[in-house]
Amino acid sequence: MSELMRKIERLWGMPIFFMRNKQDKPESFGSFPDEGSPFVYAPFLVEMLTEKCESQKLPVIYKDENQAYFICVGTQKGFWLVGLMCTENMDYARIHRLYRHYYIPASEEKPPMKVSLLRILTFAGFLYELEGGESVEESELLAINSLVTEEDARTEKEDTILEMRKVDDEVYHHTYQEERYVMDCIREGNEEAVWQRMGAVIESAGILSNKTINHYRYLAIVSVSMATREAIAGGVSPARAYRKSDIYINKIDKCAEVEELVEYCRIAGCEFARMVAEAKSEKNASSYTEQCKDYIYKNYHHKIHLEDVARAIGISQGHLSRVFREDTGMSIQDYIQKFRVERAANLLKYSEASLSEISDYVCFYSQSHFGSVFKRYMQMTPKEYRDKYKEKEFRSENIK
């Protein structure tokens, strides 16, 4: 019998004790330590449970003032004692009060085993049927142990929670619909609709941080990231979309005002929608040209050789050069230089990097070469460009 009860303990996860008569000490079956058990330290609890058990035929399920549960099942051979258990999490103050109530040393305090009330009822019925051969309904155990009111309250609480969840589901469903509508508008290139509806998405967004400024910063970054992907889905080349995304996220990272962050959410959404509209109005470029642009975007800060691009795409150098010029009106090398200048211009406006660091990063072989190419496209030197366009929040007296 001991081996069987040890297996039952492990299967159900509940500590079981047995005593042949009221004068004996409760004995455990070894799956759980005796230390910390009220049955060991509090004889008055054992006496109270066994007396209750003698006065009623069905199992005793006792809930004490600290919301802890105990089971006592009487048999012809003695008494089964099970516990302690709880149905809700206890804070440390309540745990300490519970263990002190049963004279258990503080060194042995630990959170009680948490199980559902249904599991407690089912296990009590299981022990009762195992010993007596008679089944008992959970409703009978609730009634005889005066737990009906508690179960009714629990049911009411669960119904209330479910009702609240329904309301939350409706709110989140509405939020999702608004968000999805704006993203669809970006993908379709509908700039006006994005401007009109972006405010609703911003206001209904979930809380991303307890700090207001961080909440709006995270929201702005998420919005830009989502808009970037929708723009790509709408036909904007990944290279162009991610380049624009980098610019906005760099700006967002430096913002110190909530109003600026909200404005960036709106402006970025509209900008991506406008890029989609432009892409749709332009002549459809070949997939080879788009693949070439993406390759340049990923590798512009390294040396790029035409043969490497053609090999990555899987066509001949001559065919790639011809298709690219037909689609863009410029050679691949001119496009690479223009792309690098555009990236350098963003770094001049939005970073603290020196001119030599920017030149190296965008892969010009010398700072003088960088200066001459930059001036050809921008009609001013890199320093003049920085002095003219660097936004005030990025300005530093240390820039050379």
Side-chain angles (χ1 to χ4, degrees), residues 69-302:
Y69 287 81
F70 302 90
I71 298 172
C72 183
V73 179
T75 73
Q76 293 181 348
K77 300 176 182 178
F79 301 92
W80 297 107
L81 299 168
V82 184
L84 63 101
M85 302 158 290
C86 65
T87 58
E88 297 180 356
N89 291 325
M90 290 187 177
D91 58 29
Y92 287 110
R94 186 147 48 119
I95 292 172
H96 179 66
R97 188 165 59 247
L98 169 66
Y99 277 74
R100 186 173 57 185
H101 179 73
Y102 294 115
Y103 304 106
I104 300 171
S107 60
E108 296 176 11
E109 291 182 5
K110 58 184 178 182
M113 180 176 302
K114 182 184 173 183
V115 296
S116 66
L117 179 57
L118 177 60
R119 189 173 179 83
I120 293 172
L121 294 167
T122 303
F123 189 60
F126 167 77
L127 285 179
Y128 181 74
E129 187 171 352
L130 182 67
E131 285 293 335
E134 297 181 26
S135 63
V136 58
E137 297 293 330
E138 287 82 6
S139 57
E140 295 181 77
L141 293 176
L142 284 171
I144 198 168
N145 289 289
S146 302
L147 297 172
V148 175
T149 302
E150 176 187 336
E151 182 63 13
D152 289 343
R154 186 182 304 278
T155 301
E156 183 179 357
K157 177 182 177 182
E158 290 173 352
D159 288 343
T160 302
I161 292 173
L162 284 173
E163 192 63 33
M164 291 172 65
R165 285 177 179 169
K166 287 180 183 177
V167 174
D168 286 343
D169 286 345
E170 291 175 0
V171 170
Y172 287 126
H173 180 64
H174 174 71
T175 301
Y176 173 76
Q177 286 182 316
E178 287 287 345
E179 178 186 295
R180 191 63 261 163
Y181 178 82
V182 170
M183 292 301 119
D184 287 344
C185 289
I186 292 174
R187 191 173 66 253
E188 295 164 4
N190 189 342
E191 181 184 350
E192 183 178 351
V194 173
W195 181 260
Q196 291 175 350
R197 300 292 283 273
M198 181 62 86
V201 174
I202 296 170
E203 292 303 320
S204 61
I207 303 302
L208 303 181
S209 173
N210 290 328
K211 292 184 177 180
T212 302
I213 187 69
N214 288 343
H215 162 74
Y216 282 99
R217 192 186 312 281
Y218 300 152
L219 178 60
I221 291 173
V222 169
S223 299
V224 169
S225 299
M226 293 175 64
T228 302
R229 284 151 181 77
E230 294 300 330
I232 293 172
V236 177
S237 76
R240 189 179 175 209
Y242 283 121
R243 186 161 68 249
K244 185 64 68 174
S245 174
D246 289 347
I247 293 171
Y248 276 113
I249 289 178
N250 203 324
K251 288 183 176 183
I252 289 165
D253 188 50
K254 300 294 184 179
C255 279
E257 300 293 333
V258 168
E259 292 76 12
E260 290 181 324
L261 292 169
V262 171
E263 194 66 12
Y264 275 134
C265 285
R266 286 179 177 273
I267 294 174
C270 291
E271 177 72 12
F272 281 111
R274 183 160 54 250
M275 290 168 65
V276 172
E278 291 172 355
K280 290 182 181 297
S281 66
E282 293 173 355
K283 181 182 68 173
N284 290 330
S286 73
S287 63
Y288 292 140
T289 297
E290 294 306 317
Q291 290 180 65
C292 182
K293 289 181 177 180
D294 287 340
Y295 183 94
I296 293 168
Y297 171 75
K298 294 174 183 176
N299 298 279
Y300 72 90
H301 48 279
H302 302 298

Side-chain angles (χ1 to χ4, degrees), residues 345 348-349 374 380-389:
L348 288 168
K349 285 198 295 185
F374 190 93
M380 65 183 76
T381 66
K383 185 178 185 307
E384 289 171 341
Y385 186 89
R386 168 168 270 171
D387 291 341
K388 183 175 181 179
Y389 293 108

Side-chain angles (χ1 to χ4, degrees), residues 50 54 56 67 149 246 286 331 353 382 384:
T50 53
E54 287 178 330
Q56 71 180 46
Q67 317 302 310
T149 302
D246 289 347
S286 73
S331 70
E384 289 171 341

